[in-house]
Structures are given as C-alpha cells and as structure tokens.
Amino acid sequence: MENCVNRSLYSSVEYLDCLLYTSDPEVLEATLRVLVRSAPRWSYHRDIKANLAVFSTRLMIIASPWNLKKDIVPFIDQNESSDVAAHTNEFKLLVQSRTTSVLQKHAGNIHYQFFRTAEDIKGMEKEREGHEEEPGTGMGVAGATSSRSQQSKKQHHGHSPASSIAEGLVSIDEPVDKLCSDATASIHMQMEQAFSKLVAKYKVSSAHHYELRHRIYVALAFARGDSQLRFLLLRARINAATVLSQLMTEQEFKNMFLSREPNFTSDIITLLQPEVHAPLSLQTTVLLALEGLLKQRREVSGAYVSLNASANHGVLMFILRKALSTADEPPAFPYEFMSALYGFLTSMTTTMNGGQLLVSAGAVPV
C-alpha cells in the first residue's frame, strides 16, 4: 500500500473494521496504518465514506485520551516536576524516561465508566436464558416443565436474573495486576483473564466490551513496564485520530474529537522536538498525522505556530538540516520517516500559507 502509486485500487476497506476488533496490538497498529494510507482517497468518494461510518465508533475509542496526568504528576520528583505539574500534554509525559517507573507503579489501574441501560439488562437476560436453555435441549416435556417450575420458584423468591443487575452509572477502578492470576502469561492471556473477571464482576454488556478491552491493554502496558507496547498503543491512538480527521467533516471532527482533546495537534508536535527524545517510529506517526490534519482548516494555523514553521530555527528546519547534512553518509533517519516528512512538506505547499512559510524559514535553499 505504501509503495503503491494508486492506492484507490484497494476497494475492501470496509472489511478492515473486523481487524480493529483484534486482540493483537500489532495487528491493530497495522490495520490503522493501512487506513491512514488509504483514507485520503475516501474524501473523493461519498458512497465509500457513508459505508465507512461504522469505523467512527471504534476509532473514537482508540483515539480517546487516557487521562493519566492526575495519576502520575503527583508522584514525579518535586525537584523536576514544577513545570510538568502545570503542563497538560499527556503525550510528552508518556514518552519521558523519568516517568517510566512512575507509570509502572501508579498508572496500572483500569479506569472505565459506562452507563448500563434497560436495553443492556434485557440483552444480558436473553443471553443468560440462551445459555441456560442449551443444556436442556432434548429433555422432553418433563424436563421443560421442571425447568419452568424452578425458574418460577427463583422469581417468586426474588432470585430472578434481573434482580442483581441495576440500571445506572457503573465505575470500574481496578489494579490490572491483581486481576491477572498468571504474571508470566502472554499479554493476550493476561488481558483475557482481567477481561473475564471484570465482565463477571460488573456485569458489563457486550456493547462496552471493545472499549473495556482497550482500557485493559493500556493498563497492562503501564503495569508491565512495557515501553514498546506503550509506544505501540500511542501510535495507534494518533493513527486513529488521523483517520477520523479524514472521515469526518470539520464540524464533526471538532464536536466529536477536538471537544475532548482541543490541544491534540500542538501536543503531538511536541514529540518532534529533539529534547523530548521520542522514538523515531512515534515521530513518523506524528508526521503522517500532521499531513492528514492539514485538511482540517481549523488546525492548520495552530500546527504552523506549534512547528514555528516560518522560523529558521524551528523544529521543522532542524529536522531538515539533520536529514540533508548526512546525505552522503549513512542516513540519520529511516526511509519511513523521510517519506512521511516529504509527504508533510508537500501537503504544506498545498495550503494557503504553507509554501510562503517554508520560503520564509529558508527551506528552499536547504
């Protein structure tokens, strides 16, 4: 896909929704990468965009903020955290090396809230009745009669399935390491152990299973101290937001995504700054995201200001100089990073002030 000139030849994008439900984080990231690469073509096909509306729900879950600042900021060394406590950039906090131990110790809780409706309760009742009827298949009239009599007795004594499930707001706040009985198991097995216990304890309906699974993966990444998994989920989060920016109109993107994370563009640009020391794979994802976000006109000016695009000493010019100064030597950046960088620069020239800002910064002579 990434090396294909005509990406619109791939016409099975709607089937990728099934892969978003995968339990493998690497498959999730690969699926989102395909969606990011093919998303620019959707804006020219209204029928495809209408069919892909089903993506929005799961993409919003993946792109949602983790809201970890309140969990980790109070525990950072006070001698170093005076500026961090006032900062709201969650992305920067997640990539800083000094917060790794704090994340492992204090960010391994599963925070999730959902509202259990009457329809959810009815759905769980039907599912439970279906499981109870399966063993009784073929029992005959006598077995069915005894089963009905037992059910009527339970309802008479107040032990009906609905009696233990109430409608309303349900809050989950559990340490993920206590939900995993086998700490040596794979990440997938630990997720399944935690998931089954939470579903049984809090009576979580199937409508909320996907978001709960994703929250468990995020908590496991912190509890295990697995920086590779943490960065993978962070890349998936940025990629999901990029696809949403392509799927939605400007007003929809503002109301549904930017209303919850208004500083998203400026926050991810911080990851490009050399002093942050973000992994190159994460910086590549940021450049791909910026290429897509430039199509949201509300985000263009903010992105240029955060990049300091018109200055010769801005982060964009720093990256360009470093990349081109080693042209005759082993490359300073991998091919994927350079491809994303050139794609973003090309997109800048198509905007109203992008080309002028590049000229002002001195990018043309470089």
Side-chain angles (χ1 to χ4, degrees):
M1 285 288 294
E2 294 184 351
N3 297 323
C4 181
V5 177
N6 190 356
R7 294 171 186 153
S8 61
L9 291 176
Y10 184 76
S11 58
S12 301
V13 178
E14 61 271 16
Y15 299 107
L16 294 177
D17 178 60
C18 298
L19 288 178
L20 289 179
Y21 202 78
T22 181
S23 58
D24 189 337
E26 293 183 358
V27 176
L28 175 64
E29 183 190 15
T31 304
L32 289 169
R33 188 67 176 266
V34 173
L35 292 175
V36 168
R37 285 301 192 181
S38 56
R41 298 287 179 180
W42 302 344
S43 58
Y44 301 104
H45 304 281
R46 293 184 179 180
D47 53 339
I48 295 180
K49 288 189 67 176
N51 293 332
L52 292 176
V54 68
F55 279 103
S56 300
T57 302
R58 292 181 181 175
L59 289 173
M60 284 295 298
I61 292 173
I62 300 171
S64 298
W66 297 343
N67 298 322
L68 297 172
K69 181 189 173 185
K70 61 182 180 180
D71 293 332
I72 64 176
V73 169
F75 302 99
I76 298 177
D77 186 6
Q78 295 299 324
N79 295 328
E80 301 179 2
S81 62
S82 58
D83 60 330
V84 179
H87 205 283
T88 58
N89 190 343
E90 188 177 78
F91 294 95
K92 185 177 179 180
L93 292 175
L94 290 172
V95 300
Q96 288 179 333
S97 58
R98 61 176 176 173
T99 61
T100 302
S101 59
V102 179
L103 288 169
Q104 184 175 0
K105 187 176 181 180
H106 299 285
N109 282 22
I110 302 171
H111 303 291
Y112 181 51
Q113 289 185 338
F114 69 96
F115 191 86
R116 187 187 294 122
T117 63
E119 294 182 358
D120 293 337
I121 298 175
K122 291 179 181 178
M124 286 187 286
E125 288 178 5
K126 291 181 180 179
E127 185 177 353
R128 185 180 301 180
E129 291 173 359
H131 289 304
E132 291 177 352
E133 290 175 359
E134 286 178 2
T137 304
M139 289 191 303
V141 178
T145 305
S146 62
S147 177
R148 284 195 297 269
S149 63
Q150 291 177 2
Q151 185 177 0
S152 62
K153 289 180 181 179
K154 289 182 179 179
Q155 292 178 355
H156 177 72
H157 292 290
H159 296 290
S160 64
S163 60
S164 59
I165 306 176
E167 181 180 356
L169 182 66
V170 181
S171 298
I172 299 176
D173 189 0
E174 297 274 354
V176 69
D177 54 351
K178 293 184 179 180
L179 297 172
C180 301
S181 55
D182 186 4
T184 61
S186 64
I187 184 74
H188 172 67
M189 292 302 299
Q190 291 187 25
M191 188 277 295
E192 290 295 339
Q193 291 172 5
F195 175 76
S196 59
K197 291 180 180 179
L198 290 177
V199 169
K201 180 178 180 179
Y202 292 94
K203 305 296 186 296
V204 184
S205 64
S206 57
H208 306 284
H209 283 184
Y210 183 76
E211 187 169 3
L212 179 59
R213 285 176 182 270
H214 189 70
R215 295 296 180 94
I216 294 174
Y217 267 127
V218 173
L220 280 172
F222 297 131
R224 289 162 54 111
D226 192 343
S227 58
Q228 184 177 359
L229 178 60
R230 183 170 82 245
F231 292 144
L232 188 152
L233 293 173
L234 202 57
R235 293 194 298 270
R237 174 178 163 184
I238 297 174
N239 281 331
T242 305
V243 179
L244 286 173
S245 68
Q246 303 287 344
L247 276 176
M248 298 177 175
T249 62
E250 292 183 25
Q251 193 62 35
E252 289 173 343
F253 189 67
K254 177 185 177 183
N255 295 339
M256 298 182 65
F257 180 76
L258 293 178
S259 60
R260 297 193 297 176
E261 204 163 0
N263 299 319
F264 175 77
T265 304
S266 59
D267 284 351
I268 63 173
I269 288 176
T270 307
L271 301 179
L272 297 175
Q273 297 176 357
E275 62 270 16
V276 176
H277 303 292
L280 281 177
S281 60
L282 196 55
Q283 295 185 44
T284 303
T285 304
V286 171
L287 290 172
L288 291 172
L290 291 176
E291 182 181 352
L293 288 168
L294 287 183
K295 295 178 175 59
Q296 297 285 334
R297 289 179 295 179
R298 299 174 185 268
E299 297 300 300
V300 173
S301 59
Y304 290 158
V305 171
S306 300
L307 282 169
N308 206 359
S310 61
N312 189 263
H313 57 275
V315 60
L316 198 58
M317 290 300 300
F318 172 82
I319 295 174
L320 274 175
R321 288 195 189 93
K322 186 176 180 179
L324 299 178
S325 62
T326 58
D328 299 330
E329 303 173 6
F333 300 107
Y335 170 79
E336 290 185 353
F337 181 89
M338 294 303 300
S339 177
L341 175 62
Y342 290 141
F344 171 62
L345 292 175
T346 303
S347 298
M348 280 188 66
T349 60
T350 62
T351 61
M352 184 178 299
N353 299 324
Q356 184 179 355
L357 291 175
L358 289 176
V359 173
S360 302
V364 175
V366 173

